[in-house]
Amino acid sequence: MKKKPVKAIRSDSPITVIPRDQHPISRKDISDNALKVLYRLNKSGFEAYLVGGGVRDLLLHKKPKDFDIATNATPEQVRQLFRNCRLVGRRFRLAHIMFGPDVIEVATFRGPHDQIESNDRNQSHKAQSGMLLRDNIFGSVEEDAVRRDFTINSLYYGIEDFSLRDYVGGMADLNAGIIRLIGDPETRYREDPVRMLRAVRFASKLDMTVEPATAEPIPRLAFLLKDIPAARLFEESLKLLQTGQGYRTYKLLREYHLFQSLFPLIQPGFTQRGDSSMEKLLVQVLKNTDFRLQSDKRVNPAFLFAAMLWYPLIEHAEKLTQEGGLQYYDAFALAMNDILDEQCHSIAIPKRYTTTMRDIWLLQLRLPRRQGKRANKLMEHPKFRAAYDLLELRASIEPRHDLKELVHWWAEFQQSTSPQQREMISDLGNEPIRRRTRPRRVGRARYHRNNG
């Protein structure tokens, strides 16, 4: 459905003021806690505006994920007004107002850091690459507007008169479906390289187009992401791939050469035709994740990452087997450590997820072994279902008859009664199965060392 343009009334100043009767934002769509913060700041003599993604989403008739507030009150002044406030961040000093699980983020208007003469690195500090390491120079709402990243995120809803204020043409871009950086794109990306990922994420999430000047520097500046802490990139990767538009986002990440910075182990496996097993699995797991999220079903990052890294894992395990003369199970255990170590240099996947990834991977080796009591024991494993789902994905992609037969057997086994299950196991007979060699001492020692 085509979005209805919002009317704007221009004043004599650069600001565009959109009065209440000309925009769709209503207080009934804003959280009660955000309204409490806005009203208290305003009644205490401070300017207070709803800003950012909350305003953008309300204008697009979407439900905001959160509500952020901008004010001319300093973080310390905000803390004096709210007993349920805590100050966070060093790079950007912010106030978090806590209402149980609901957190309202309050930021003080940012000023032009490059025009401030200060030797205090806690106020403003920039790395040689141009990245902002500290940015606690405060300013006016007009200065704050041009310090924000994209025009569509720089719209201010005022609680005093319920009007919208647009300082950078954000409303026009919102109506036109354009993602546009405020200021010089290369400078802004160097200040914070994550803005490149945000441009892609918003374009995918909002079904918009990245404006050419905003898009042009991204492929040649993608290398700057290596300077971003791996923990921050993990959080960004979840926003990119696990919010319901993962497949579309993945295509844009590849188009703008950003994917390699996040998943360097996967990039070498891409082919010109995009028809390798790895690429097919990657596409399918992202589409499946999108479908689950759009159906309000839960997803686990561990499964997504386990599927994405499966083919780099087995390729590395086979290499270790051939070059090191190891038994395959030993090589597989070592390969898991190597793959996770390498991936966590880029994206710091927490241990609670890497532990699950290991379980899913190891179960791929165990699922073919069903004789005796093995099948029932496997079904009791807490990660059996996730492992089966990966097996099913692999069978849908790889031209291997044995995999398809294995998936069919497990699907039937899960639906069968106990007597039927015993018969299915009996029907397997005493087919010769290569005994699994226990990991060698060096393999096990390294495995347990890396698992803590």
Side-chain angles (χ1 to χ4, degrees):
M1 187 173 68
K2 192 174 181 180
K3 295 187 271 298
K4 183 180 179 181
V6 177
K7 296 180 181 178
I9 298 176
R10 289 195 173 274
S11 65
D12 295 333
S13 65
I15 182 178
T16 299
V17 178
I18 304 165
R20 173 62 190 93
D21 61 352
Q22 298 296 330
H23 69 74
I25 296 180
S26 169
R27 278 171 291 172
K28 71 178 185 336
D29 297 321
I30 302 172
S31 83
D32 291 339
N33 293 328
L35 290 173
K36 288 176 187 176
V37 176
L38 287 167
Y39 279 126
R40 185 176 297 184
L41 285 167
N42 185 252
K43 289 178 181 177
S44 300
F46 297 107
E47 294 179 69
Y49 299 94
L50 195 66
V51 69
V55 175
R56 179 200 69 220
D57 289 347
L58 287 173
L59 289 170
L60 293 174
H61 305 287
K62 298 176 181 286
K63 185 177 181 180
K65 180 176 57 108
D66 46 37
F67 293 93
D68 295 338
I69 291 170
T71 179
N72 61 345
T74 65
E76 289 73 19
Q77 288 172 326
V78 175
R79 183 165 57 180
Q80 290 175 359
L81 285 176
F82 299 91
R83 290 193 302 174
N84 54 332
C85 172
R86 67 174 182 179
L87 302 187
V88 300
R90 294 174 60 192
R91 182 168 176 252
F92 299 117
R93 196 69 166 154
L94 300 167
H96 281 180
I97 316 297
M98 319 295 291
F99 297 91
D102 188 18
V103 178
I104 305 299
E105 187 172 278
V106 180
T108 305
F109 297 147
R110 305 287 170 195
H113 61 89
D114 54 343
Q115 298 177 16
I116 300 294
E117 293 184 8
S118 173
N119 294 322
D120 185 357
R121 289 195 169 194
N122 289 319
Q123 271 196 309
S124 181
H125 181 42
K126 184 184 291 189
Q128 289 185 347
S129 64
M131 187 188 304
L132 280 176
L133 304 178
R134 295 285 187 279
D135 186 16
N136 291 307
I137 301 297
F138 303 136
S140 65
V141 61
E142 292 86 358
E143 291 168 329
D144 186 74
V146 298
R147 289 295 317 282
R148 294 189 172 269
D149 50 8
F150 301 100
T151 58
I152 60 171
N153 291 339
S154 191
L155 296 163
Y156 294 71
Y157 171 83
I159 199 63
E160 189 172 11
D161 58 4
F162 317 122
S163 65
L164 277 174
R165 287 163 172 77
D166 179 3
Y167 298 87
V168 291
M171 191 61 71
D173 285 343
L174 195 67
N175 287 328
I178 293 174
I179 306 295
R180 187 194 310 271
L181 265 175
I182 301 168
D184 175 64
E186 181 159 345
T187 301
R188 302 309 305 277
Y189 289 140
R190 288 187 178 277
E191 287 178 352
D192 184 1
V194 169
R195 286 177 179 143
M196 293 184 284
L197 299 179
R198 285 168 60 81
V200 166
R201 177 159 63 88
F202 291 140
S204 177
K205 173 185 176 181
L206 304 173
D207 194 20
M208 292 184 175
T209 303
V210 182
E211 181 260 341
T214 297
E216 185 277 327
I218 295 179
R220 57 186 173 83
L221 297 180
F223 72 94
L224 292 172
L225 287 172
K226 74 180 188 304
D227 297 325
I228 300 299
R232 186 181 177 197
L233 286 184
F234 170 73
E235 297 299 330
E236 290 298 325
S237 71
L238 296 188
K239 295 176 185 176
L240 290 163
L241 302 177
Q242 288 210 187
T243 53
Q245 300 85 27
Y247 173 60
R248 189 189 306 169
T249 304
Y250 155 73
K251 291 195 295 183
L252 287 177
L253 288 172
R254 288 193 60 180
E255 178 183 340
Y256 290 113
H257 301 176
L258 293 167
F259 194 84
Q260 182 175 2
S261 298
L262 300 176
F263 298 97
L265 290 166
I266 297 176
Q267 180 75 19
F270 288 139
T271 61
Q272 282 191 335
R273 297 175 62 180
D275 58 354
S276 68
S277 294
M278 186 203 73
E279 289 168 297
K280 290 177 181 177
L281 179 63
L282 186 55
V283 166
Q284 195 57 53
V285 74
L286 288 170
K287 287 183 176 179
N288 290 357
T289 300
D290 290 346
F291 178 78
R292 288 186 62 85
L293 288 165
Q294 290 159 12
S295 304
D296 293 324
K297 295 181 179 179
R298 294 178 61 186
V299 295
N300 188 335
F303 179 79
L304 175 62
F305 292 136
M308 292 176 72
L309 294 169
W310 169 251
Y311 286 106
L313 169 65
I314 59 173
E315 182 179 341
H316 188 50
E318 289 167 0
K319 181 181 178 182
L320 291 176
T321 302
Q322 295 169 2
E323 295 180 357
L326 298 172
Q327 294 291 332
Y328 186 74
Y329 187 79
D330 295 355
F332 193 85
L334 289 173
M336 287 195 300
N337 295 330
D338 292 343
I339 291 295
L340 288 173
D341 285 348
E342 181 66 26
Q343 181 57 58
C344 287
H345 286 150
S346 305
I347 295 176
I349 305 173
K351 188 175 181 180
R352 66 183 182 276
Y353 296 132
T354 59
T355 299
T356 300
M357 291 169 67
R358 291 177 188 275
D359 287 340
I360 293 171
W361 286 338
L362 284 169
L363 283 168
Q364 301 305 300
L365 303 188
R366 295 176 59 191
L367 285 171
R369 301 173 58 83
R370 297 154 287 167
Q371 281 85 349
K373 298 180 180 179
R374 294 188 184 99
N376 293 104
K377 286 184 177 180
L378 283 172
M379 274 190 57
E380 293 171 1
H381 195 289
K383 299 300 180 288
F384 167 80
R385 184 65 207 189
Y388 170 77
D389 288 344
L390 177 55
L391 182 73
E392 191 175 34
L393 271 175
R394 291 170 52 207
S396 70
I397 290 162
E398 297 180 30
R400 287 175 50 188
H401 184 65
D402 61 323
L403 266 187
K404 291 176 172 56
E405 282 190 337
L406 185 60
V407 168
H408 177 74
W409 190 93
W410 275 113
E412 186 177 346
F413 190 79
Q414 293 176 71
Q415 301 297 323
S416 298
T417 63
S418 293
Q420 290 171 331
Q421 289 178 344
R422 286 193 294 270
E423 185 177 350
M424 289 180 67
I425 294 171
S426 178
D427 288 344
L428 290 173
N430 296 313
E431 298 173 6
I433 296 179
R434 183 167 57 89
R435 293 183 63 83
R436 188 181 71 192
T437 306
R438 293 179 63 186
R440 297 183 179 185
R441 285 181 178 275
V442 62
R444 284 186 297 172
R446 184 174 173 187
Y447 177 86
H448 289 299
R449 182 168 64 250
N450 286 338
N451 272 286

